[in-house]
Amino acid sequence: MGHSATAWDQNSVLEVVKDWNGIDQVVLRVPRGASARVSLHGGQVVSWKNERGEELLFTSSKAMFKPPKAMRGGIPICFPQFGNCGSLEQHGFARNKMWSIDYDPPPLRNDDDKEKVSVDLLLKPSEDDLKCWPHCYEFRLRVSLATNGVLTMISRVRNINGKPFSFSFAYHTYLSVSDISEVRIEGLETLDYLDNLCQRKRFTEQGDAVTFESEVDRIYLGSPNVIAVLDHEKKRTFLIKKKGLPDVVVWNPWEKKSKSITDLGDEEYKQMVCVDGAVVERPITLKPGEEWTGRLDISAIPSTHFI
């Protein structure tokens, strides 16, 4: 099935609706009240709410929702390039393309689909895509919402080309926070990182956590598979678990940069932080017929529960 609510509870809901541009969005809902929305424009998760209906992802009030521009917020897919480290447009083209619902995806090993509602999306290159990036691929994305509100994204990229190709990748995750100055990220201490504000010069993290007092734009290398983002004011912790994604990108534009970004409010940097599971330093290379998988699981829990 391309989209399914498993038999565990018939109160799970998946429906396809249209946004104000007439573009299909898939809405996932589970019995306890959590929900997620996935736009077919970019295969982008544009909303993720907990059981109390609180929005957990940041979207700018100035976000442009009209293709081909990607929306500022949610979780854009960066593929086959992250940032400007290549010949393609910023963050590649996947986030600007129309995806389709995959009604008959190949089986996904090691995915426990119990107590989840999910949708499978598919992106294949168009003729125009092949002119700027001449590689044939299949990109399958499964977005799942568990009954406990955990959001899971599983990407599979297969090389159906006659020759190898390489790509970088990120789930460019905009988390909603109360105040960026009250946020700390744990799990990245002692790691090396590339600083995009210093021509990607390599540094080592010295703090016992990542905190924010100015613009931050870093690629942490060889990161652990679990990262915690603590929001003290909301007493909430985002727990980010990942597989196949060795790097973590941390970004907040701060005040000066925000004023130069047309689709971001001048003060909105205070309510967001991007923490991306990514593959940047060492791109993935696939030989013909090979497949890569990258998985992200995000949960939001009361900070008192986090040890």
Side-chain angles (χ1 to χ4, degrees), residues 120-255:
D120 288 273
L121 302 182
L122 176 63
L123 180 68
K124 292 183 177 182
S126 67
E127 289 187 10
D128 285 342
D129 295 338
L130 291 171
K131 292 175 184 176
C132 67
W133 200 66
H135 305 294
C136 290
Y137 65 88
E138 288 180 342
F139 189 142
R140 300 180 186 275
L141 172 65
R142 175 170 294 178
V143 181
S144 301
L145 188 66
T147 184
N148 61 2
V150 174
L151 180 71
T152 299
M153 302 177 70
I154 302 174
S155 292
R156 291 180 285 174
V157 177
R158 177 173 289 276
N159 183 350
I160 54 174
N161 218 15
K163 57 183 179 179
F165 62 73
S166 299
F167 63 91
S168 54
F169 176 90
Y171 293 111
H172 194 26
T173 307
Y174 286 79
L175 298 173
S176 175
V177 298
S178 56
D179 185 339
I180 186 62
S181 63
E182 296 291 320
V183 169
R184 58 189 279 132
I185 302 174
E186 297 183 353
L188 302 175
E189 52 274 12
T190 74
L191 295 185
D192 284 0
Y193 64 86
L194 307 179
D195 194 332
N196 286 321
L197 303 180
C198 300
Q199 291 77 48
R200 292 205 168 179
K201 188 176 177 182
R202 194 179 186 115
F203 296 91
T204 300
E205 179 58 54
Q206 300 297 323
D208 61 356
V210 179
T211 56
F212 300 85
E213 298 176 348
S214 60
E215 182 181 356
V216 172
D217 190 353
R218 301 171 182 171
I219 303 164
Y220 286 85
L221 310 174
S223 62
N225 287 332
V226 181
I227 306 294
V229 182
L230 286 73
D231 184 341
H232 292 294
E233 192 170 311
K234 286 190 176 177
K235 295 181 173 59
R236 173 190 293 153
T237 296
F238 290 103
L239 211 55
I240 299 172
K241 299 180 180 180
K242 57 191 182 67
K243 292 181 180 179
L245 303 163
D247 304 324
V248 168
V249 179
V250 177
W251 179 63
N252 182 279
W254 215 254
E255 188 173 9

Side-chain angles (χ1 to χ4, degrees), residues 17 57 140 287:
V17 301
L57 299 177
R140 300 180 186 275
K287 297 176 182 176

Side-chain angles (χ1 to χ4, degrees), residues 99-115:
W99 295 53
S100 59
I101 295 176
D102 186 359
Y103 289 99
D104 189 24
L108 185 55
R109 288 178 296 176
N110 302 322
D111 182 40
D112 179 9
D113 62 358
K114 294 178 181 178
E115 299 194 348

Side-chain angles (χ1 to χ4, degrees), residues 54-71:
E54 297 168 331
E55 180 58 63
L56 301 172
L57 299 177
F58 168 84
T59 299
S60 171
S61 63
K62 293 189 173 183
M64 302 172 192
F65 292 88
K66 198 159 188 179
K69 186 171 177 61
M71 184 194 81

